């Protein structure tokens, strides 16, 4: 992964077919609307909740409710926000890394999650995104 802006996955990227299956799952989450990301590179697909948590730390872009975005196909990773303890768990288990601005300019739980390379990884990444969706929804956070 890069440690410059934009933060992106540079190798071992997700096959496009798995990226699209992940995106379809993301679109099916309760209350989610999709569109261009307000904070990422051109081509990134944002996930927005118009009614959710009132905590701005639960979002990448609180003003519009963007809690996650999927990067373009050449990358396949995504950014999302998790509660700080879950973000630390995702990082410790090697599923992602904190954004270099997490806790300073952006939410402490702002994470880059690596793109899934197979069915087992797809299931784990879906679970991580569901935890982010739960957090942005204002519901109790799910375990990752």
């Amino acid at each position: 992964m890069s440690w410059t802006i934009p933060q992106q996955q540079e190798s071992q990227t997700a096959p496009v077919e798995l990226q699209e299956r992940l995106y379809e799952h993301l679109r099916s989450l309760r209350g989610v609307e999709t569109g261009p990301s307000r904070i990422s590179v051109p081509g990134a697909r944002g996930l927005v909740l118009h009614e959710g948590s009132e905590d701005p730390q639960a979002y990448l872009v609180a003003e519009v409710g963007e809690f996650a975005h999927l990067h373009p196909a050449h990358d396949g990773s995504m950014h999302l926000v998790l509660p700080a303890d879950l973000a630390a768990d995702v990082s410790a288990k090697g599923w992602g890394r904190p954004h270099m601005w997490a806790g300073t300019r952006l939410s402490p739980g702002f994470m880059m999650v690596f793109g899934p390379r197979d069915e087992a990884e797809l299931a784990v990444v879906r679970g991580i995104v569901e935890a982010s969706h739960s957090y942005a929804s204002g519901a109790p956070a799910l375990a990752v």
Side-chain angles (χ1 to χ4, degrees):
M1 68 174 280
S2 68
W3 282 101
T4 59
I5 301 297
Q7 185 184 40
Q8 56 192 351
Q9 187 168 340
E10 296 179 327
S11 66
Q12 301 185 44
T13 55
V16 172
E17 184 262 334
L18 288 178
Q19 291 179 43
E20 291 308 310
R21 287 181 47 210
L22 175 60
Y23 181 65
E24 289 307 312
H25 179 71
L26 304 176
R27 291 180 52 196
S28 75
L29 296 174
R30 183 183 43 79
V32 169
E33 293 183 19
T34 61
S37 173
R38 295 289 198 93
I39 192 172
S40 190
V41 297
R45 297 175 279 185
L47 305 170
V48 173
L49 281 175
H50 291 293
E51 294 184 27
S53 175
E54 296 195 15
D55 180 1
Q57 296 293 310
Y59 302 97
L60 302 174
V61 184
E63 297 80 19
V64 297
E66 184 175 334
F67 69 96
H69 57 247
L70 184 62
H71 294 139
H74 71 275
D75 176 334
S77 67
M78 64 185 308
H79 280 116
L80 50 72
V81 179
L82 293 166
D85 59 334
L86 293 182
D89 193 39
V90 166
S91 184
K93 291 178 178 175
W95 291 104
R97 292 288 177 255
H99 191 279
M100 64 279 287
W101 293 343
T104 56
R105 296 172 60 181
L106 302 168
S107 171
F110 192 147
M111 297 287 298
M112 185 178 96
V113 174
F114 303 123
R117 298 168 295 176
D118 59 32
E119 292 295 325
E121 290 184 2
L122 178 61
V124 172
V125 173
R126 283 179 175 170
I128 294 169
V129 177
E130 289 168 5
S132 177
H133 175 263
S134 180
Y135 182 42
S137 297
L142 303 171
V144 176

